[in-house]
């Protein structure tokens, strides 16, 4: 007996949630132990010696931020060199060097954990670039995000302290002790599930009698970290819709699990490090509400197929993989946009207007449902500060979060953080849409075409990396402005978060009393959701009205 | 002498209860302050509030547009945008106006009577009060006004301080000790004093008070600054959202008129809180003034909301300050009536509060309220005998006093039973007085200890409940007393305080404050003596009693003109109320935007995307009426909320969670719902205007 689509869809969601519920706690606690451990392993010592780092020396917020910036700059330079000069590398599959601005865009994209891909993987990047360049950044850009989140948490846990830890130690430990072992295990599971791992192509004669060459590659190993690190950059152009990247329903669900795993686990890490597990749960609760509502809207839109074309065809299946169906495509789309992953197993351009709008809003929320690795936690903590600032006054105290006062200095950092991404998304979209040449790059006219542009800048500035599709982004204008959006959308918030963390760490702690606004209750989680939704809505509704809203209501 | 009505110059509450203001009064003040609000249209004045400055710019731009291309719609938008600015100014002007009225009455006290300056040779010269310098000595006699702040260095006088405090009962000021401070502008009623001037003209307490109530010396508080930063960044977000909307609208085939974009922008930026923010702050200070407390800075008021430890003086705050007789404990074999009788006799002439309370107690217990027999000779308390009492005509001597004193008088140790009663009373925190009698005509007869009077510090009624409420608000109360630990603990138990600082010296207070602050607590305390000054300065909220020394007043950041230590609790509540009002109106302001989007977005784009009419859930008549209604609502809501800003959101002592729940429901949910109804209602009116509807 074949299970109905709806039952299978619900079962998939149930299995996913159960698996995350089971694993996030031990993993989160493990990450907390890793970042607080005192000893260094032999491998780590060797790395510190090689890099000239004193692993037990702590860094000031300024030094920590400069390390992040320096590391990013170096990463971009190396990645660009690898791409442009890939002809000189082994395993280049005779591919030419990547053009300058595309190389720049791609380098920025992978360093910023965005993994926006203006190129087709199989026909642009050789194995060497994929393995030594892109995959390396998949690990370390994820580690940077987690390190920054940990630094912010230290801001809350430390008292009258001038430093935030050591960036190099944090990145090395997270990579060596967390990401590498997890990615290794995940790759094995993916291999077992049928994802390819090879250096050769497969040639065969198809049913039509034509000879075809199917590009292979070391896919499974890349695929694991692509999802685990909420990177999303596909080995192949079709990303997780490609049967070599994502062959079966099992690998599909497993990939969704992987991309949600660390963001969810980090809420546990937050609770553990704060010694306030319930605050971690409140944060996770808020994330879950946003995720669940988004999933409900998207699934409803896709399954009910609210567009005329879809109704005519019997289902909204255009642009989606028949292997996965509407339910799981919606689940994947919501997971990948809610986590800043940006991997796709369906064309988001082909989602129904409401579904496409929902995943777009997911990114506009600021990637916090549950967000990218690290960036989800620091993003939602920023929103939590905003929440206590507005609502906290209503209990008759000057605002505080987790025992730290939110004064003018803290509010300045938060205010700039809140400004950064909307400015990039809206000015980018406005600048692009005002150009005549953009009209030729659009895949569709009218509201849908507008959505394509808005989606591109929302994806870049929020470091998601998924593409709506349709829009041709290979012009220098798009390469440069989107790279700018990715770079600024990543680094400005990180620098502000680190400065904020520093100002929090320097403070003493205000003890919690009955007069303190509790930040571990369902009421707080609800307020947090309300503030996030209202802030996002107020910022983006005018733009959304001209795209997805107008389309969805038609 | 304490029952006359408050003097006309007194800044006391003549309106709706303590610190309250009636709605009608606010309305009257609002009308009265219109000219002031119009004067504030000068953009230089608005520069401080970026939100309102942007509205000003929008109004100016819309006016130019209306002049260039006159249309009813554009003109109406221009008018209402200007009104938005005016209404914002009005809120501030009304708040300031209330202070100005008080300042005027205070100024009247600052007369220019000539001061009688004492020269080094003892000769007097007459100089203007404004010419007095620090350390000048001046003579003030009955009927004269004290020319400046200072300390009495010679003499004692009764002084009418009603000009400052509103309290018409005169107070005694004398050289030396903690009652030596006098305030310029107050009047000597009797006797002659010599005052050393401690504040130069222009820097006196009265001058500072005038500056404070006028708001002239008002600086923005830390939280106000932080909130302004948030409001500015929200304004920038909306500015960018609206500015980028222009090219997006062009692409969508729905190019927008600049007037419409400005209208959208003004509706979205947090004008409500932007307009009311400074009025809320001024009104908070004003509410303190109305309970006769002067805060030297807005920062102190804000800190009051954050206070989590209250140091309360036992005497006067927790207890009435006098011990009172509460029980009579007869020894075995002694009839109660005999003890009552003896206690009464021994206390009839005792005019101390303790003595009077013994008489009252005996009367409550049934003793007839008859005066003493004629030839009774009363024995007053002396430091030597440490007893008081009476010698009756029949030769009976009655004495009451501490156990040891009575035992000496009796010439024998107290019986075990009495000693035990004494011990018992002491342990419970009370003060035992032993009553004994002796016959004079029988020298050999030993006297008899009849029993024990239990004197007790009486805790003010309602204290326990009040402290319970404070605890629910997360505030610890600490009782400070000079009593010994046993007594202190017993009273603390009864009053329900959280901690006790017994046998407290000023240094102990200081140490306690430091310890609390190191733990992250904010501490409030009251004090009056010079030796309280360091602790007052260290406390986050230090309330000096107006009767206190100049040093104490200088060290604290608030002065209580009534010198009532229980005020501390009111101060904390006013601080909390100020913060709540700020948060509630911010929430309301932001929540309002949701409805405005539902009004304006379909209005702007329905021509290009007819489907957007489906989000016109309010069914507004035309795009123009929708936009105009939103703008009018946005302006009117400022006026509507002026009373809330001035009076403050209702505050009741409760836990943070329950306060939050209530305010979220009223101002969060209300902020979402109210504008839907308001804009719809305005649209019904506006759409009937030809040319817009």
């Amino acid at each position: 007996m074949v299970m109905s689509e709806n039952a299978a869809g619900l079962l998939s969601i149930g299995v996913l949630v159960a698996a995350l519920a089971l694993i996030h706690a031990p993993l989160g606690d493990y990450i907390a132990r890793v970042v607080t451990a005192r000893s260094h392993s032999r491998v780590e010592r060797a790395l510190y010696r090689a890099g000239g780092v004193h692993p037990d020396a702590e860094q000031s917020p300024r030094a920590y931020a400069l390390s992040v910036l320096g590391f990013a700059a170096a990463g971009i330079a190396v990645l660009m060199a690898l791409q442009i000069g890939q002809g000189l590398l082994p395993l280049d599959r005779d591919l030419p060097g990547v053009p300058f601005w595309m190389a720049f865009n791609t380098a920025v994209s992978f360093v910023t954990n965005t993994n926006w891909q203006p190129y087709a993987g199989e026909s642009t990047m050789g194995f060497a670039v994929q393995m030594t360049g892109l995959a390396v950044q998949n690990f370390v850009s994820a580690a940077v995000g987690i390190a920054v989140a940990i630094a912010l948490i230290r801001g809350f846990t430390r008292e009258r302290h001038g430093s935030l830890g050591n960036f190099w130690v944090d990145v090395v430990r997270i990579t060596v002790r967390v990401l590498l072992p997890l990615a290794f295990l995940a790759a094995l599971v993916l291999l077992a599930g049928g994802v390819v791992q090879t250096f050769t192509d497969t040639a065969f004669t198809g049913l039509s009698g034509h000879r075809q060459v199917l590009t292979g590659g070391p896919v499974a190993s890349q695929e694991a970290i692509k999802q685990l690190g909420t990177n999303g950059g596909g080995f192949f152009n079709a990303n997780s819709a490609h049967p070599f990247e994502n062959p079966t329903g099992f690998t599909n669900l497993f990939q969704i699990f992987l991309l949600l795993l660390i963001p969810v686990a980090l809420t546990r890490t937050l609770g553990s490090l704060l010694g306030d597990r319930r605050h971690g749960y409140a944060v996770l609760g808020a994330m879950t509400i946003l995720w669940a509502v988004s999933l409900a809207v998207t699934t409803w839109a896709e399954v009910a197929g609210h567009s005329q074309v879809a109704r005519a065809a019997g289902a909204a299946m255009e642009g989606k993989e028949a292997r996965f169906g509407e339910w799981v495509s919606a689940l994947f789309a919501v997971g990948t946009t809610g986590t800043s992953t940006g991997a796709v197993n369906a064309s988001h351009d082909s989602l129904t207007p409401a579904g496409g709008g929902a995943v777009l809003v997911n990114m506009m929320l600021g990637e916090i449902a549950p967000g990218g690795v690290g960036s989800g936690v620091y993003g939602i903590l920023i929103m939590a500060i905003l929440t206590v600032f507005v609502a906290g006054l209503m209990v008759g105290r000057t605002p505080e979060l987790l025992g730290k006062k939110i004064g003018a200095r803290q509010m300045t950092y938060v205010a700039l953080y809140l400004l950064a991404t909307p400015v990039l998304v809206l000015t980018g979209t406005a600048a692009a849409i005002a150009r005549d040449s953009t009209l030729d790059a659009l895949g569709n006219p009218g509201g849908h075409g507008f959505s394509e542009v808005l989606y591109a800048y929302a994806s870049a500035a929020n470091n998601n990396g998924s593409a709506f599709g349709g829009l041709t982004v290979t012009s220098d204008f798009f390469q440069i402005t989107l790279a700018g959006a990715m770079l600024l959308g990543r680094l400005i918030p990180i620098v502000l978060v680190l400065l904020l963390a520093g100002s929090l760490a320097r403070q003493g702690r205000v003890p919690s009393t009955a007069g303190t606004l509790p930040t571990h209750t369902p009421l707080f989680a609800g307020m947090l959701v309300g503030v996030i939704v209202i802030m996002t809505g107020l910022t983006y509704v005018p733009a959304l009205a001209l795209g997805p809203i107008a389309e969805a209501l038609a | 002498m304490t029952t006359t009505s408050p003097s006309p110059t007194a800044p006391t509450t003549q309106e709706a209860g303590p610190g309250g203001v009636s709605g009608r009064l606010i309305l009257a003040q609002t009308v009265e302050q219109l000219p002031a609000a119009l004067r504030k249209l000068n953009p230089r004045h608005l520069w401080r509030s970026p939100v309102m400055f942007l509205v000003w710019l929008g109004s100016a731009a819309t006016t130019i547009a209306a002049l260039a291309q006159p249309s009813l719609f554009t003109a109406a938008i221009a008018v209402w945008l200007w009104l938005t600015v005016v209404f914002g100014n009005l809120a501030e002007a009304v708040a300031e106006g209330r202070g100005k009225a008080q300042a005027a009455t205070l100024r009247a006290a600052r007369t220019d009577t000539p001061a009688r300056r004492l020269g080094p040779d003892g000769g007097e010269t007459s100089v203007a009060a404004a010419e007095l310098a620090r350390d000048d000595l001046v003579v003030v006699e009955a009927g004269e006004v004290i020319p400046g702040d200072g300390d009495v260095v010679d003499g004692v006088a009764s002084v009418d301080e009603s000009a400052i405090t509103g309290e018409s009962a005169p107070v005694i000021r004398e050289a030396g000790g903690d009652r030596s401070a006098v305030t310029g502008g107050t009047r000597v009623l009797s006797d002659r004093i010599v005052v050393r001037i401690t504040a130069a003209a222009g820097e006196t307490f009265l001058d500072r008070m005038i500056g404070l109530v006028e708001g002239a010396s008002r600086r923005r508080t830390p939280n106000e600054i932080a909130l302004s930063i948030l409001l500015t960044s929200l304004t920038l977000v909306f500015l960018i959202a609206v500015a980028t909307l222009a090219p997006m609208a062009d692409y969508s085939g729905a190019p927008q008129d600049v007037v419409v974009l400005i209208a959208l922008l003004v509706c979205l930026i947090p004008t409500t809180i932007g307009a009311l923010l400074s009025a809320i702050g001024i009104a908070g200070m004003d509410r303190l003034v109305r309970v006769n407390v002067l805060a030297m800075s807005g920062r102190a008021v804000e800190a009051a909301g954050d206070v989590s430890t209250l140091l309360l003086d036992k005497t006067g705050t927790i207890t009435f300050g006098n011990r009172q007789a509460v029980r009579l404990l007869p020894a075995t074999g002694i009839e109660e009536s005999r003890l009552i009788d003896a206690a009464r006799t021994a206390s009839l002439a005792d005019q101390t509060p303790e003595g009077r309370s013994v008489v009252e107690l005996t009367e409550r217990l049934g003793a007839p309220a008859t005066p003493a027999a004629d030839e009774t000779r009363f024995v007053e308390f002396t430091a030597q005998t440490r007893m008081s009492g009476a010698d009756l005509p029949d030769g009976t001597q009655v004495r009451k006093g501490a156990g040891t004193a009575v035992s000496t008088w009796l010439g024998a140790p107290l019986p075990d039973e009495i000693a035990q009663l004494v011990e018992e009373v002491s342990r419970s925190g009370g003060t035992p007085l032993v009553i004994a009698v002796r016959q004079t005509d029988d020298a050999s007869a030993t006297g008899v200890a009849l029993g024990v009077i239990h004197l007790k510090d009486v805790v003010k009624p309602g204290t326990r409940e009040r402290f319970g409420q404070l605890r629910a608000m997360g505030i610890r109360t600490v009782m400070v007393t000079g009593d010994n630990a046993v007594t202190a603990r017993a009273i603390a138990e009864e009053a329900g305080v959280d901690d006790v600082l017994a046998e407290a010296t000023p240094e102990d207070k200081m140490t306690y404050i430091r310890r609390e602050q190191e733990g992250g607590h904010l501490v409030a305390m009251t004090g009056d003596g010079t030796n309280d000054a360091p602790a007052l300065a260290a406390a986050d909220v230090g309330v000096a009693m107006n009767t206190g020394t100049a040093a104490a007043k200088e060290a604290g950041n608030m002065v209580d003109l009534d010198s009532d230590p229980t005020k501390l609790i009111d101060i904390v509540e006013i601080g909390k109320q100020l913060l709540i009002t700020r948060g509630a109106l911010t929430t309301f302001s932001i929540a309002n935007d949701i409805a405005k989007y539902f009004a304006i977005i379909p209005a702007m784009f329905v021509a290009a995307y007819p489907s957007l009419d489906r989000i016109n859930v309010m069914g507004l008549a035309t795009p123009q009426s929708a936009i105009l209604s939103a703008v009018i609502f946005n302006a009117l809501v400022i006026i509507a909320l002026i009373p809330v800003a001035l009076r403050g959101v209702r505050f009741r002592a409760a836990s943070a969670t329950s306060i939050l729940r209530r305010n979220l429901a009223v101002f969060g949910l209300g902020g979402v719902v109210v504008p839907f109804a308001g804009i719809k209602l305005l649209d019904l009116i506006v759409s009937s205007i030809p040319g817009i509807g």
Side-chain angles (χ1 to χ4, degrees):
Chain A
M1 197 190 90
V2 179
M3 206 188 288
S4 81
E5 286 250 348
N6 291 358
L10 286 172
L11 184 66
S12 301
I13 297 170
V15 168
L16 176 68
V17 170
L20 287 169
L22 202 67
I23 298 185
H24 88 281
L27 178 60
D29 289 342
Y30 172 69
I31 296 174
R33 280 199 302 277
V34 166
V35 296
T36 48
R38 292 182 184 283
S39 60
H40 312 285
S41 72
R42 200 171 299 162
V43 180
E44 288 164 2
R45 278 182 200 288
L47 281 168
Y48 300 143
R49 259 197 304 279
V53 172
H54 294 287
D56 296 316
E58 294 241 324
Q59 288 178 311
S60 69
R62 216 176 104 90
Y64 204 104
L66 286 175
S67 302
V68 173
L69 295 179
F71 190 59
I76 292 170
V78 169
L79 258 189
M80 281 187 75
L82 284 172
Q83 291 177 76
I84 292 169
Q86 75 166 330
L88 307 172
L89 300 171
L91 294 172
D92 67 342
R93 300 166 60 221
D94 297 328
L95 289 168
V98 180
F100 184 84
W101 286 119
M102 183 184 278
F104 173 66
N105 184 294
T106 305
V108 167
S109 170
F110 277 76
V111 167
T112 56
N113 196 250
T114 313
N115 298 35
W116 170 266
Q117 294 170 293
Y119 61 90
E122 56 269 53
S123 59
T124 314
M125 301 293 173
F127 294 154
V129 176
Q130 294 261 26
M131 284 169 21
T132 62
L134 304 182
V136 168
Q137 280 302 330
N138 277 353
F139 278 98
V140 294
S141 70
V144 169
I146 299 173
V148 172
I150 298 297
L152 178 57
I153 298 171
R154 287 190 188 123
F156 283 104
T157 56
R158 293 184 171 185
E159 287 175 50
R160 300 190 182 89
H161 208 297
S163 58
L164 294 175
N166 186 315
F167 170 74
W168 307 106
V169 172
D170 288 338
V171 166
V172 165
R173 278 187 182 174
I174 292 161
T175 308
V176 171
R177 300 194 199 179
V178 181
L179 296 175
L180 278 169
L182 275 180
F184 181 74
L185 289 176
L188 288 183
V189 174
L190 287 169
L191 261 179
V195 179
V196 302
Q197 180 82 2
T198 168
F199 284 124
T200 55
D201 297 344
T202 313
F204 67 98
T205 307
L207 289 176
S208 59
H210 290 289
R211 194 176 151 72
Q212 281 188 310
V213 177
L214 293 181
T215 310
V219 181
S221 57
Q222 301 245 90
E223 195 63 17
I225 190 62
K226 163 187 135 186
Q227 307 290 17
L228 261 180
T230 64
N231 292 290
F235 194 91
F236 299 108
N237 191 30
N239 209 308
S240 285
H242 193 293
F244 284 0
E245 272 198 53
N246 191 8
T248 66
F250 165 73
T251 56
N252 190 56
L253 194 59
F254 184 63
Q255 290 192 7
I256 302 174
F257 166 75
L258 286 182
L259 61 87
L260 289 167
L261 180 60
I262 293 180
V264 170
L266 281 174
T267 62
R268 173 71 172 202
T269 311
L270 170 71
S272 287
L273 289 176
L274 290 172
D276 182 0
R277 292 251 160 88
R278 292 186 304 170
H279 182 71
Y281 286 128
V283 165
L284 180 58
M287 290 172 164
T288 308
I289 293 168
L290 291 168
W291 177 80
V293 169
S294 178
L295 180 63
V297 170
T298 311
T299 307
W300 166 78
E302 298 312 308
V303 173
H306 279 249
S307 81
Q308 287 159 358
V309 181
R311 263 198 292 277
M317 278 311 294
E318 187 271 326
K320 291 175 197 127
E321 278 291 292
R323 289 175 292 147
F324 306 134
E326 291 160 336
W327 274 85
V328 185
S329 294
L331 185 59
F332 198 111
V334 171
T336 196
T337 51
T339 55
S340 96
T341 305
V344 288
N345 77 346
S347 168
H348 287 186
D349 202 11
S350 302
L351 293 174
T352 58
V359 297
L360 176 54
V361 169
N362 256 349
M363 298 188 294
M364 289 172 166
L365 292 174
E367 295 298 6
I368 44 177
V373 286
S375 63
V377 164
Y378 65 69
I380 206 156
L381 283 175
I382 293 282
M383 296 311 289
I385 291 178
L386 181 64
T387 305
V388 296
F389 191 83
V390 177
L393 280 174
M394 280 197 290
V395 306
R397 293 266 292 247
T398 58
E400 65 198 55
L401 179 63
L402 302 166
K404 299 290 185 165
K405 281 284 172 199
I406 310 302
R409 174 177 287 272
Q410 289 74 29
M411 219 45 221
T412 306
Y413 298 136
V414 170
L416 291 173
Y417 184 106
L418 294 173
L419 263 172
T421 330
V423 168
L424 294 170
V425 174
L426 292 174
T427 54
T429 306
I433 207 74
R435 287 166 57 96
D436 289 338
S437 60
T438 301
L439 300 182
D440 302 329
L442 296 179
N444 292 278
H448 204 71
F450 178 75
S451 297
E452 290 171 0
V453 178
L454 183 60
Y455 193 103
Y457 284 94
S459 174
N462 285 293
N463 299 132
N464 181 280
S466 68
F468 206 48
L471 183 68
T472 309
V473 291
T474 43
S475 73
D476 284 354
F477 173 81
F478 279 114
Q479 299 282 28
I480 295 169
T481 56
L482 287 169
M486 288 188 273
L487 198 58
L488 298 176
R490 172 78 163 180
L491 296 179
I492 292 176
I494 284 185
V495 169
L496 291 169
V497 163
L498 291 171
L499 293 176
L500 171 70
S503 78
L504 294 173
R506 276 192 296 275
Q507 288 185 19
R509 178 176 309 283
V510 182
S512 177
T513 68
T516 313
L517 171 74
T519 52
H520 53 252
T521 57
L523 179 66
F524 177 75
M527 270 182 346
L528 184 52
V529 169
V531 167
I532 292 167
V533 168
I534 288 178
M535 279 302 295
T536 310
L538 294 184
T539 311
Y540 292 113
V541 157
L544 286 170
L546 295 174
I549 297 178
E551 258 195 290
L553 294 176
Chain B
M1 102 197 204
T2 56
T3 50
T4 47
S5 64
S7 92
T9 57
T12 47
T13 52
Q14 288 129 355
E15 292 132 18
V21 200
S22 77
R24 203 189 312 163
L25 189 84
I26 290 177
L27 188 69
Q29 287 169 333
T30 307
V31 175
E32 196 179 300
Q33 293 294 338
L34 253 175
L38 288 171
R39 276 198 298 280
K40 288 182 179 214
L41 276 178
N42 185 337
R44 257 183 312 176
H45 176 81
L46 289 163
W47 182 238
R48 254 166 64 136
S49 163
V51 181
M52 295 317 284
F53 184 69
L54 198 58
V55 181
W56 189 93
L57 285 179
S59 312
T62 318
T63 308
I64 294 166
L67 292 175
Q69 257 181 335
S71 82
L72 181 59
F73 173 72
T74 312
I77 295 281
V79 166
W80 278 98
L81 291 187
W82 281 118
L83 284 176
T84 310
V85 186
V86 171
F87 292 165
N89 290 343
L90 199 53
E92 197 181 71
V94 172
E96 282 174 351
R98 287 140 57 91
K100 285 211 177 84
Q102 286 162 348
T105 61
L106 285 171
R107 262 206 196 92
R110 201 172 55 179
T111 50
D112 259 339
T113 42
R116 295 158 60 187
R117 186 163 64 191
L118 275 182
D121 54 350
E124 280 181 27
T125 43
S126 179
V127 296
E131 282 168 32
L132 286 175
R134 218 177 258 267
D135 289 332
D136 279 352
L137 293 176
V138 294
V139 179
V140 194
E141 279 183 306
E144 291 176 349
V145 172
I146 299 173
D149 293 1
D151 285 325
V152 180
V153 290
D154 187 34
V156 53
S158 59
V159 179
D160 171 11
E161 295 194 336
S162 62
I164 305 283
T165 63
E167 174 61 61
S168 56
V171 291
I172 301 297
R173 296 290 180 221
E174 58 192 341
D178 285 348
R179 295 180 156 269
S180 62
V182 289
T183 312
T186 57
R187 186 178 293 273
V188 173
L189 293 180
S190 69
D191 306 289
R192 172 187 188 271
I193 47 174
V194 176
V195 175
R196 185 176 44 236
I197 297 296
T198 53
E203 294 165 20
T204 64
F205 185 64
L206 199 60
D207 293 317
R208 272 158 70 198
M209 239 176 109
I210 291 169
L212 282 167
V213 294
E214 266 190 333
S217 48
R218 203 180 108 76
R219 284 208 194 86
R220 291 197 301 170
T221 61
N223 177 255
E224 252 181 313
I225 293 170
L227 184 55
S228 299
I229 291 168
L230 174 66
L231 296 181
T232 306
S233 80
L234 283 179
T235 305
L236 282 174
V237 167
F238 291 129
L239 187 61
I240 285 154
V242 172
T244 55
L245 193 55
M248 296 180 193
D250 288 347
Y251 161 84
S252 307
Q256 294 297 317
D257 191 24
V258 71
V259 172
V260 171
L261 289 174
I262 291 172
L264 174 64
L265 177 62
V266 170
C267 283
L268 293 183
I269 59 176
T271 46
T272 314
I273 182 66
L276 297 173
L277 186 56
S278 70
I280 295 169
I282 298 169
M285 299 275 275
D286 190 57
R287 274 198 295 283
L288 273 182
V289 171
R290 271 158 210 276
V291 296
N292 266 355
V293 173
L294 275 185
M296 297 302 160
S297 70
R299 184 187 283 258
V301 188
E302 228 168 72
D306 278 348
V307 159
S308 52
T309 306
L310 282 185
L311 255 52
L312 298 168
D313 278 327
K314 182 200 78 175
T315 309
T317 311
I318 295 170
T319 65
F320 284 109
N322 305 311
R323 285 170 299 189
Q324 295 185 327
V326 289
R327 273 195 309 166
L328 292 180
L329 308 165
T332 321
I334 307 291
E335 279 188 28
E336 199 186 5
S337 60
R338 191 175 168 207
L339 178 63
I340 292 172
D341 219 36
R344 179 179 165 77
T345 308
S347 308
L348 271 176
D350 184 349
Q351 283 308 311
T352 63
E354 285 88 350
R356 281 204 302 271
S357 79
V358 175
V359 176
E360 278 162 24
L361 175 68
T362 58
E363 281 166 14
R364 274 205 305 280
L365 291 173
T370 49
D374 277 348
E375 286 158 49
T376 306
R377 198 177 64 78
F378 291 107
V379 179
E380 293 214 359
F381 179 89
T382 67
Q384 283 76 42
T385 61
R386 293 189 294 137
M387 288 186 305
S388 61
D391 294 342
L392 301 183
D394 67 353
T396 314
Q397 294 179 320
V398 190
R399 294 288 183 274
K400 74 172 197 294
T404 49
V406 173
S407 152
T408 311
W409 181 66
L410 290 172
L414 292 174
D416 284 352
E417 194 198 353
I418 296 286
Q420 219 167 349
L421 286 174
V422 165
E423 172 72 24
E424 224 169 81
V425 170
S426 297
R427 243 202 333 265
S428 74
T431 307
L433 288 181
V434 179
I435 294 281
V437 292
R438 193 170 75 176
Q439 294 298 126
T440 34
D441 48 2
D442 183 4
S444 63
T446 50
V448 188
L450 301 178
V452 175
I453 304 175
H454 184 165
L455 286 179
K456 191 176 135 181
D457 242 348
V458 178
V459 172
K460 290 183 173 178
T463 303
R464 217 184 158 81
E465 290 70 31
R466 198 85 195 264
F467 291 164
Q469 287 174 349
L470 287 172
R471 199 169 303 115
M473 287 155 59
I475 297 172
R476 281 176 74 244
T477 44
V478 181
M479 186 180 88
V480 180
T481 172
D483 291 348
N484 65 53
V486 174
T487 312
R489 198 148 296 283
I491 295 166
E493 188 99 340
E494 195 184 335
V497 295
D498 298 300
D499 197 5
V500 190
L501 198 55
E503 291 171 86
T505 61
E507 292 74 41
D508 291 340
K509 273 199 213 179
M510 191 72 190
T511 318
Y512 197 94
I513 290 173
R514 288 266 181 253
R515 205 178 60 221
E516 287 291 300
Q517 286 175 335
E518 262 157 42
H521 290 281
L522 262 65
V523 185
M525 69 167 284
T526 59
D528 52 6
T530 299
N531 51 17
D532 280 333
L536 277 173
D540 301 280
V541 176
V543 185
M545 299 293 105
N546 191 46
T547 52
T549 60
K553 284 202 266 189
E554 198 64 44
N557 47 19
M558 291 193 194
V559 175
D560 177 14
L561 300 174
D562 296 341
S563 304
D564 171 7
T566 54
K567 281 282 183 60
L568 208 46
I569 299 169
D570 298 322
I571 291 169
V572 168
E573 291 192 353
I574 287 173
K576 284 196 177 293
Q577 196 186 25
L578 169 75
L579 294 171
I580 290 175
T581 308
R582 211 178 268 161
L585 294 185
T586 306
T587 306
F588 190 84
S589 189
I590 295 172
N592 268 209
D593 282 1
I594 296 172
K596 292 175 193 161
Y597 267 140
F598 276 94
I600 299 182
I601 294 294
M604 288 172 85
F605 300 121
V606 76
Y609 293 108
S611 61
L612 286 176
D613 195 45
R614 284 171 67 179
I615 49 177
N616 179 10
V617 291
M618 288 171 270
L620 306 180
T622 65
Q624 293 199 330
S625 76
I627 293 168
L628 188 55
S629 303
V631 169
I632 296 176
F633 177 84
N634 192 51
L636 289 182
V637 82
I638 296 174
I639 288 280
L641 289 175
I642 288 180
V644 179
L646 295 189
R647 265 186 240 163
V649 171
R650 197 166 64 84
F651 177 79
R652 74 200 153 81
S655 74
T657 309
S658 68
I659 294 175
L660 181 64
R661 246 177 238 286
R662 182 179 170 274
N663 290 327
L664 262 185
V666 175
F667 293 94
L669 218 58
V672 173
V673 175
V674 167
F676 278 99
I679 293 174
K680 174 66 188 171
L681 203 65
L682 286 167
D683 184 73
L684 290 177
I685 300 165
V686 167
S687 61
S688 65
I689 301 170
I692 288 180

